[in-house]
Amino acid sequence: MSQATLEIRAISGHSGSVPGAGVRREFDVCKLIDTTTCIGCKACEVACLEWNGLSFSETVFNNSYQTMPETQWNYWNLIKFNEHEREDGTLQLLMRKDQCMHCEEPGCLIACPADGAIVQYVNGIVDFQQDHCIGCGYCVTGCPFNIPKFSPTARKVFKCTLCVDRVTQGLEPACIKACPTGCLHFGTKPDMKALAETRAKQLREYSGFENAGVYDPPGVKGTHVIYVLHDASNPELYGGLPKDPHVPWAVSFWKKPLKWIGNIAMIGGLLGVFAHYLRFGPKIEPADEETPRQGGAAPRTGTRDPGGRP
Amino acid sequence: MSATAILANGRVLRYSFHERLVHWLAGFSYVYLLLTGLAFWSPWLFWIAVVLGGPTASRELHPWVGLIFVFATLLMYRMWSRQMHETESDKEFWRALGHYVRNEDELVPSADRFNAGQKLLFWGFLWCGILLLLSGLILWFPHLIPWSLRYLRYIAVIVHPAAALLTIGLFIIHVYMGTAMERGAFGSVIRGDVSTGWAKRYHRVWYEHLLRDAAARK
Ligand code: HEM
Ligand code: SF4
C-alpha cells in the first residue's frame, strides 16, 4: 500500500469533479474483525489511543464489561459487550470491536456541506479533514452507524481514520498490530472477504454455528471493515450492529430530490417575477387626487401618467 | 392603528418608526440567514459562506441570527396580528387575483390596512419561522440528540430546508413587489409615508378609516 492509495475518490460538499479519481488501478483496503476469536482484551482500544495520541477517557460501570456506552470524539475504537442468553439457556458473551466502518457509500460524506471536510480515498478509507470541517454535525445525521462524534472543545467532528497515516506508509492500522489473538486482519478487500468467508464456513461446518456469516452490508454498498459473526442473521445482538444499514432515506431525500425541487423552484421564482415585470411592468404610483375621466372607461392603472407622481 | 395618521404635508403615515425598525430587523437577519443557509444548501453556493467571513463563522452565527429573526417575527406578531385576520374581502381578493397580477387594480376589492397577499406573507413567515426555529434547534445541537431519537435529526434536515424554501418563495414575491412592482411601497417602509393616491388605490378601506378618525378628532 503506497502513496497511490491516497488518491481521492470522493469529496464532501464539493462542486465539480474530483481531481485524479479513477486514473489508476483501484486497490481497496479492508479490515476484518472475527468476533468469534475476540477475547475483549481491549488491546486494540489502547493501541488506537496510543497511535493517535489521544488521552484515556473515563469509564463508567453499568453492571457489565461495557466500559463506556459508545465511541467518543477522542475514543474511536470501543469493544461492545453483550451477555446474550441463548434459547437453550446458555450464556454467550458477544464482543464486537466498534469503529468507523468506512462505507463504500458513506452517509457522512453525502451529508457534509463543507468542501473537502470529508474525503474518500480510492482505497476506500473515509477520512475527516478537520481543517475544512465547520462543525455543523450533518455527518452525525448522515452516518447509519453512530460513529462521527462532535468535540465541544475543538467544535469539529472526529472519528477513526483507519490509521490512514500508517496505511500510506505500508503499515497495518494500530489496532490490527496490537491484537493478541489474531482476530483482526488487514489486507485487500477481496483477500479479506475470502478469508472471512472461509472462517464463516468453518464455523458453520465444524463449530455448530449454523448462522455464522460475514457482515459486509450491501445497503451502504459494502464496508471496508467487515465482521465474521457467529449469528449473521442477528447482527443487532452485537452491541446494536444495524441489520440493514443504509444512508438514512431522509438524508438521501434531502441531498438529492429536495435539492432539485428547491433549486428549480427558486430559479423559477426569480424568472417568474422577472417575466412578470417584462409583461406587465410596475404599478405606477397613482396621482394624489384622481379625477375620473369623463365618459371613457375607468382609468387603467399601470399606464404611464407623467403627472401622476406627487 | 393609532400610530398612523394623515400628515401635515398631505401624505399619509403608513408605518411608524417602531414598525419600520422591526421590519428591517427581520429583513436584515433574514437575508443573512438566507445567504448563509444557501451556502450550506449547495456546494455551488458554498462561496457565499467564504465571502461572509468564512464557513465556520457562518455555521456559528446562523443559529444566533436565527434567534434574532424569530424575535423580530414575534414583535411583528404583537404589532400586526390583529390586523391580519382574514376577511370577506380577502376572499374576493383571491378571486380577483388575475386582475391584481395584470395591474388592473380598479377591479380588485379595496383592502384594509393589509391586503390578502400581505396577510399570506405574514402568516406564512410566522408559521415557517416556528418550523425553522424548532428544526433549527435540532440542527444547532445534533450531537446532543441521543441515537435512539435520531429520527428527530432526520425530520429536521427535511423540515428546515423545506420551510426555508417556502419562505424564499414568499420572500421573492415580497421583495419584487416592494421594490420593483408597486411604486411607492418601498418608501412606506423606509420613510414611513405614502401619498394619498397610493393609500386610496391600494388600501382604500384603511384610508377612509383614517379620514373618519381624523374627522372625529377635530
Ligand atoms: C429560526 C431560527 C433558525 C435556526 C436556529 C437555524 C439553525 C440552523 C442550523 C444550525 C443550520 C445548520 C448549518 C448552520 O449552522 O448554518 C441551518 C441550516 C440552514 N438554514 Fe437555518 N436556522 C434558523 C432560521 C433559518 C431561516 C429563517 C432560514 C431562511 C432562509 C434558514 C435557512 C437555512 C438553510 C437553507 C440551511 C441549510 C440547509 C441545508 O443544508 O440543506 N434558517 N439552520
Ligand atoms: S461536522 Fe461533519 S458534516 Fe459538518 S463539516 Fe464537519 S465533517 Fe462535514
Side-chain angles (χ1 to χ4, degrees), chain A residues 1 27-31 186-194 226:
Chain A
M1 263 131 267
F27 203 34
D28 286 16
V29 298
C30 183
K31 183 195 300 190
F186 187 72
T188 65
K189 178 87 191 251
D191 285 357
M192 293 302 108
K193 197 68 192 279
I226 63 177

Side-chain angles (χ1 to χ4, degrees), chain B residues 24 42 51 63 66 85 102 105 123 154 173 214 218:
Chain B
W24 287 109
S42 166
V51 172
H85 292 305
R102 289 188 293 272
D105 289 85
W123 294 111
Y154 302 154
I173 297 172
K218 278 212 186 108

Side-chain angles (χ1 to χ4, degrees), chain A residues 43-54 75-77 160 174-175:
Chain A
C44 53
E45 292 184 16
V46 177
C48 176
L49 296 179
E50 284 294 319
W51 177 258
N52 293 299
L54 302 170
Y75 207 94
W76 303 337
N77 177 161
C160 154
C175 54

Side-chain angles (χ1 to χ4, degrees), chain A residues 11-307:
Chain A
I11 305 178
S12 65
H14 189 65
S15 52
S17 64
V18 175
V23 294
R24 266 187 257 218
R25 178 165 55 90
E26 298 201 3
F27 203 34
D28 286 16
V29 298
C30 183
K31 183 195 300 190
L32 165 58
I33 301 167
D34 182 357
T35 60
T36 66
T37 50
C38 173
I39 55 170
C41 70
K42 295 170 150 303
C44 53
E45 292 184 16
V46 177
C48 176
L49 296 179
E50 284 294 319
W51 177 258
N52 293 299
L54 302 170
S55 45
F56 204 81
S57 295
E58 219 171 288
T59 56
V60 291
F61 182 63
N62 71 350
N63 288 314
S64 81
Y65 282 121
Q66 194 65 57
T67 46
M68 52 185 85
E70 55 186 35
T71 60
Q72 298 171 21
W73 73 268
N74 56 359
Y75 207 94
W76 303 337
N77 177 161
L78 179 71
I79 301 289
K80 292 275 193 111
F81 287 92
N82 181 22
E83 284 168 36
H84 169 54
E85 202 180 316
R86 283 187 284 197
E87 269 163 32
D88 61 5
T90 56
L91 217 55
Q92 196 182 14
L93 192 48
L94 301 177
M95 286 162 266
R96 176 179 66 90
K97 174 175 152 12
D98 189 28
Q99 78 279 278
C100 177
M101 299 294 286
H102 299 274
C103 306
E104 187 66 12
E105 185 180 65
C108 57
L109 188 148
I110 290 169
C112 178
D115 195 351
I118 305 177
V119 296
Q120 182 184 37
Y121 297 110
V122 167
N123 65 11
I125 295 179
V126 177
D127 197 20
F128 284 22
Q129 311 288 313
Q130 277 78 19
D131 46 348
H132 294 298
C133 172
I134 61 173
C136 64
Y138 283 10
C139 48
V140 175
T141 304
C143 177
F145 292 100
N146 190 17
I147 291 301
K149 296 283 152 60
F150 181 78
S151 158
T153 40
R155 305 197 66 72
K156 294 182 187 299
V157 173
F158 297 83
K159 71 160 187 69
C160 154
T161 66
L162 207 85
C163 283
V164 66
D165 46 350
R166 291 174 58 89
V167 171
T168 324
Q169 301 306 317
L171 300 172
E172 76 279 60
C175 54
I176 313 276
K177 176 110 177 150
C179 181
T181 70
C183 85
L184 301 182
H185 303 260
F186 187 72
T188 65
K189 178 87 191 251
D191 285 357
M192 293 302 108
K193 197 68 192 279
L195 187 60
E197 292 294 355
T198 309
R199 173 64 181 153
K201 188 160 176 266
Q202 200 178 37
L203 287 164
R204 282 192 301 268
E205 287 176 5
Y206 303 107
S207 308
F209 292 107
E210 293 151 22
N211 292 328
V214 180
Y215 184 84
D216 181 17
V220 290
K221 307 228 159 76
T223 50
H224 290 268
V225 172
I226 63 177
Y227 291 105
V228 172
L229 305 175
H230 325 72
D231 183 359
S233 65
N234 209 347
E236 299 278 355
L237 288 180
Y238 295 79
L241 193 58
K243 191 167 185 131
D244 179 24
H246 45 85
V247 179
W249 77 262
V251 171
S252 312
F253 177 74
W254 165 42
K255 288 288 165 174
K256 275 277 160 64
L258 187 62
K259 294 273 126 120
W260 282 109
I261 296 168
N263 291 342
I264 290 169
M266 284 190 284
I267 293 169
L270 289 174
L271 291 178
V273 295
F274 186 64
H276 179 271
Y277 195 78
L278 293 184
R279 175 65 185 82
F280 296 107
K283 293 182 191 294
I284 294 298
E285 185 160 8
D288 272 1
E289 290 310 324
E290 282 176 73
T291 38
R293 267 180 234 161
Q294 299 296 310
R300 301 277 285 189
T301 53
T303 48
R304 279 166 207 276
D305 177 2

